[in-house]
Amino acid sequence: MEVYLDNAATSRRKPEAVYEAMGRFMRETGASPGRSVHGPGIEAGRIVAGARERAAGLFGIDDDSRVVFTLNCTEALNLAIKGILKEGDHVVTTSMEHNSVMRPLSAMTGERDVSVTRVQADGDGIVDPDDMERAMTPETALVVMTHASNVTGSIQPIEECGRIAREHGIPLLVDAAQTAGCLPIDLSSLPVDLLAFSGHKGLMGPQGTGGLYVGEGIELAPLKQGGTGSNSSEEYQPDILPDRYESGTPNTPGLAGLGAALGFILDETVEAIREKTKKAGGMLADGLRGVDCVRTYGPPDMERNVGNFSFAVEGRDIAETAHALESGYGIMTRVGLQCSPSAHRTIGTFPGGTIRASIGHFTTEEDVAHFLGSLEDLCSG
């Protein structure tokens, strides 16, 4: 039996419509969008526009031109962070951030003399909104925080933090890599100004896709300049959205797949997907706590966890344990620091890291039962 529990890195299984859409694009369309007036080019443009409309619909965005497609969530976060920060600005972030936030911020401290306050999360990896507010200063130009940790699954109080940031006139950038497609996100009511998302995790699209929502009144310097298919007579980057931030030929086969994945999620509804994963996740969390030799980290309940569970087996090396789970039982997990050393410092697992088991839409209760039984077997052995 093969069990895939690395959905926080990427969803391995996709809806059938994703495979079909990508294959159909490659075989029947295969042209660049927005560049030509021939039939395949027009069809490519329609496919990209359809994916954009579906992304806007999923996130409650009225103006779909404010959905900017990127190659991944990391590029989206870099665009937002480097596009908004100026010399001498101050940023408030959390101790639970992924390197896709920490590294651009570190670069900005050197390149633009930006100062960063990292608000410490509690032992479960959740920050207190009051601590976020206390960290804000008159020089704070941005608050950036993950919606849910890729290490512990901890769901952060972004609504409260966003409300506080709005009261102080500070834009909030949310890293939704772990929550897009997994938790309901309605930007028509959430006080979020910038939302970065990955296409290949909870959205169940292909790798090489992602995006950034750019809210009203937010001005970003482009991360790159180049051909957009618009205003081609000018040598300056166009100001219109989304062209201002989408230079070069996009990953159109990937966006065809992402559009199909978004259609699948819209039909299923995020609420129904969340209820399904809560059952499998709750079973996994309860089971981990019931294994005597296992130590767990992060919120133990699915009300505060998106579905990522970090653990270690006492007396065993984590890499050896992960290898034993795959080679002996067909279970695939993620081992190490999961590109989030700051989060591991927060929960006390740096520098070794943890084993992470992360569920997805296609994770079954049978998968979870096999995983828990295998852990029990390893411990008894």
Side-chain angles (χ1 to χ4, degrees):
M1 182 177 183
E2 187 177 271
V3 175
Y4 181 79
L5 293 176
D6 196 17
N7 290 279
T10 194
S11 56
R12 187 176 180 218
R13 182 179 170 188
K14 315 293 183 182
E16 282 300 317
V18 174
Y19 307 126
E20 294 168 2
M22 295 182 72
R24 186 166 55 250
F25 176 84
M26 294 297 290
R27 290 186 177 92
E28 300 176 10
T29 306
S32 294
R35 269 51 172 187
S36 306
V37 295
H38 52 61
I42 293 171
E43 175 62 13
R46 185 194 65 78
I47 289 169
V48 173
R52 202 183 310 277
E53 289 169 6
R54 288 175 174 177
L58 182 68
F59 296 128
I61 301 167
D62 290 334
D63 181 0
D64 64 19
S65 72
R66 295 197 163 274
V67 176
V68 175
F69 284 130
T70 59
L71 293 178
N72 43 53
C73 192
T74 297
E75 185 178 41
L77 288 164
N78 272 263
L79 168 58
I81 290 168
K82 295 177 180 180
I84 203 168
L85 293 179
K86 298 178 177 62
E87 189 76 22
D89 280 344
H90 174 249
V91 179
V92 175
T93 189
T94 85
S95 67
M96 294 301 293
E97 302 307 308
H98 189 276
N99 275 343
S100 55
V101 167
M102 292 304 195
R103 286 178 173 176
L105 289 180
S106 293
M108 291 295 93
T109 62
E111 294 172 16
R112 300 180 193 173
D113 197 26
V114 168
S115 60
V116 179
T117 299
R118 191 179 304 189
V119 175
Q120 190 69 20
D122 65 18
D124 280 338
I126 299 175
V127 296
D128 185 336
D130 291 337
D131 291 340
M132 298 291 286
E133 183 169 28
R134 280 189 284 269
M136 298 175 190
T137 74
E139 288 72 40
T140 305
L142 182 67
V143 175
V144 53
M145 62 189 301
T146 185
H147 192 178
S149 168
N150 72 310
V151 174
T152 61
S154 316
I155 300 172
Q156 303 292 358
I158 62 166
E159 185 168 5
E160 295 91 331
C161 292
R163 176 182 53 77
I164 292 168
R166 286 269 169 97
E167 290 172 357
H168 289 266
I170 304 168
L172 171 64
L173 164 61
V174 170
D175 173 2
Q178 297 297 318
T179 55
C182 301
L183 299 181
I185 298 173
D186 184 359
L187 295 174
S188 68
S189 57
L190 271 178
V192 172
D193 303 286
L194 293 150
L195 184 96
F197 60 91
S198 168
H200 66 98
K201 300 178 192 278
L203 292 181
M204 296 182 282
Q207 295 170 346
T209 60
L212 177 71
Y213 160 70
V214 182
E216 292 280 351
I218 300 294
E219 294 292 333
L220 304 175
L223 192 62
K224 55 188 176 182
Q225 293 82 23
T228 61
S230 59
N231 295 0
S232 295
S233 62
E234 300 292 333
E235 293 185 354
Y236 297 98
Q237 193 73 4
D239 289 330
I240 58 173
L241 294 178
D243 300 32
R244 179 168 172 77
Y245 307 113
E246 289 186 356
S247 293
T249 303
N251 175 14
T252 317
L255 292 177
L258 179 60
L262 289 165
F264 175 85
I265 293 170
L266 288 167
D267 289 342
E268 293 282 316
T269 76
V270 176
E271 290 77 9
I273 290 171
R274 175 61 175 163
E275 286 305 308
K276 181 177 181 292
T277 54
K278 281 173 75 172
K279 290 179 181 178
M283 179 181 173
L284 192 152
D286 291 342
L288 280 175
R289 291 199 302 275
V291 181
D292 290 337
C293 68
V294 168
R295 180 174 180 182
T296 60
Y297 303 88
D301 60 277
M302 285 298 288
E303 293 305 316
R304 299 184 299 153
N305 195 313
V306 74
N308 304 335
F309 300 94
S310 271
F311 69 96
V313 175
E314 294 179 3
R316 293 189 67 122
D317 177 79
I318 58 170
E320 290 177 356
T321 303
H323 176 69
L325 284 170
E326 182 178 10
S327 61
Y329 305 94
I331 297 167
M332 289 163 273
T333 57
R334 173 77 181 272
V335 66
L337 295 175
Q338 294 95 25
C339 296
S340 298
S342 182
H344 281 280
R345 288 188 177 95
T346 300
I347 64 173
T349 52
F350 186 86
T354 58
I355 306 167
R356 184 189 67 199
S358 51
I359 62 172
H361 175 63
F362 293 108
T363 304
T364 65
E365 293 183 12
E366 182 184 12
D367 292 336
V368 174
H370 178 62
F371 166 66
L372 294 172
S374 302
L375 266 182
E376 290 274 13
D377 195 40
L378 277 179
C379 287
S380 64

